[in-house]
Structures are given as structure tokens and as C-alpha cells.
Amino acid sequence: VCRLWRECARRTLRARQRIAWVSALEPGPAESHALVRALGRELEKVHVLPQTVLYIADAETFSGHEECHEQKKARKRNSKETALALEKLLPKRCQVLGLVTPGIVVTPMGSSSNQPQEIEEGEAGFALLFPKIDGVKIHTFHFSKDVKNRVFDESKFAEAGLKNNPDLRVVLLFGYNSWKSGATRFLHQIVNPLNEKSIILAGGQVESFTSLTSENAQAQPGDACGVVGLAFSGPQIQSATVLLDQDVADERTAEAAMQRLKAANIPEHNTIGFMFACVGRGYRHYKTKRNMEADAFRKFFPNVPLFGFFGHGEIGCDRIVTGNFVLRECNDIKDDLLHGYTTVMTLIHFGSTK
């Protein structure tokens, strides 16, 4: 994770230096068009300048201890301090969503040459940096429970682009402070209206969110329970999810679930895999073998990077959408989307464009 952030900082700083160097030329009128062209050429060389960032780290990374040089002793890190330090590495206009979870699932550097890892203990984290993608819109959202009103105002869905949006394809949902009174009921109020066959829903319950750049940054997660997430819109997006329930408890049944996901025929180029698992699964569930589900995913999707977390509840189901966005085996029965002691595996394909 340290290498990832150093590389992010180096490339982002390099991009800023290019822009600052070109902008500082103070051109006269005759030079203004040349400056624009020069700036355009420099920006074309920047490949990692993100518009949206999702970063996830385990709780120990955000609330562990660090050495305080002034006092020559360790002090407990503040999660907001850590989040702010990370977000300073990113462009100011970037949408950022940060999550704190009990454990991490990550493919180091997002490279197909690296094995995805289930890191259930110790400090770990990752960041996904989404650049501008032709034909794809990604935006963050945040719904906080109103203690004065038991009924959620569904007009907020439209404001967040989650309703009356024919191009909406995938919604990643993350509930926080699930131990608070009314948290489960509030999550149902968010999930139920979005439980449509034409939309992939996936995610889980996290410990907290740390993003300081969301529009609702003033609503602190310690004050209430709520839901944050990412919405992906675009006609070329394809996606699929499968649910690994409690009965999936060995290598054979885990691979059978991956075969169902493989049968969705989602293109694997420009595709990301997500794994949202219960803290009760992992090596505790499979007993004799670690990394069981991540290994099963890699066996069937060797070129798709896998990211995710271990959390306190899962959101998702078996739901497959084909290229023309027609659900296979569609029926009128609403899917049960909220689970415990399960794993949700999700594929998101962003189209053939770079």
C-alpha cells in the first residue's frame, strides 16, 4: 500500500508540475494558442490523473499508532488525519470515497501478474483511481439517517442520479455504523427502492467512511448511521454478481460459484472484480486453507484484478446482465439483497474504450 501511494503521489505531482510549468510562462496574445496546445500535449502524457477515487483500508491502518517525534513516544492516529494526508495527494476536484473495514482483499498494483490476496489481519489498504472514461459517469453519494424523520425522502435518489437515470448500471453500497439503533431499517429504506432487475447492487457494511471530499462531509459518521457509495452509469457498462452463501464451504463449491459468474460472459478486458465478504468467512470459514475465494476467482478470471473487503454484512445476489442489458432468467420476485456470513462477487466492465 505504501508503494501504491508513493507511485500515486509521484505521478500526480509530476502532472501538477507539468501544468504549473506550462501555466507559468505568462504568454502574450500571440503565444496564448501555443500555450493551450502545449498544455494539451502535456496532459495527454498523464495516464493516472483520476476523477474518482475509492480507497479502502483496514481499521488498524487508520487508527493504529505512530511515533510522535516531538514527544518521543507513540500516539494514536486520528482517522481524519490519515484520510486528509492521503487525499492531499489527489487533485482537488477529484471525487473521493474512503472506507475503513476489518479486512482487505487486494490485487497488488492491480496487475494480472500478481495473485489477489485476502488480508484479514494487519495493516493493509488500496486505492482505485478512475480516470475520465468515455461514455461512463461515476459519482459518489451519501445518505445519512435523519433522527427526526423515520421515512426516507426518496426524492434524494433522483438528486444522486439513482432514479430517473436510464443509463444507471451498477450501484456499490456501503452501510456504516450498522450497530446503531435503526441502522438496519435505514439500509432497507435505501436498498428496497433500488432493487430493480436492471441494476446491479453490491457492497456491504463497513466500520466507517473517512472521505473528506463528499458533498455531505459535514455529516460525520460518528453522529448517525448511513449509506455511502458509488454509482456507475453508461450504456456500455456490463456487470454481474453471484452470492456465495453459508453452504459454500470448500474449494469445489467456491469454484462452482465462480463458474456461475463466468457463465455471465462479461468481457474481461477493462473489467474490475469486487469481493465483499463477511468477517466470519476467510480462513475461519474454510478452516484448512487461506485465500480460498480469491484463489477461486483468479482460476476463472486470471486477467481481472480483484478488490474488496471483509465487513459486517453483505449486499448482493445472483444477478447477471448481458450486453444488451437484459437480465437472464428474469422474474418478478424481488431478490433478497441483505445477507450475513456470505460473500458477494461482482464484475464491472467499463466497455471497450480506454
Side-chain angles (χ1 to χ4, degrees), residues 294-311:
D295 287 347
F297 178 89
R298 182 176 173 83
K299 179 177 180 178
F300 289 90
F301 303 96
N303 298 312
V304 178
L306 182 67
F307 302 93
F309 59 75
F310 290 89

Side-chain angles (χ1 to χ4, degrees), residues 177-193:
N177 285 350
S178 59
W179 54 272
K180 287 262 186 179
S181 176
T184 301
R185 182 176 181 274
F186 182 75
L187 182 58
H188 274 285
Q189 290 181 325
I190 301 300
V191 170
N192 290 345

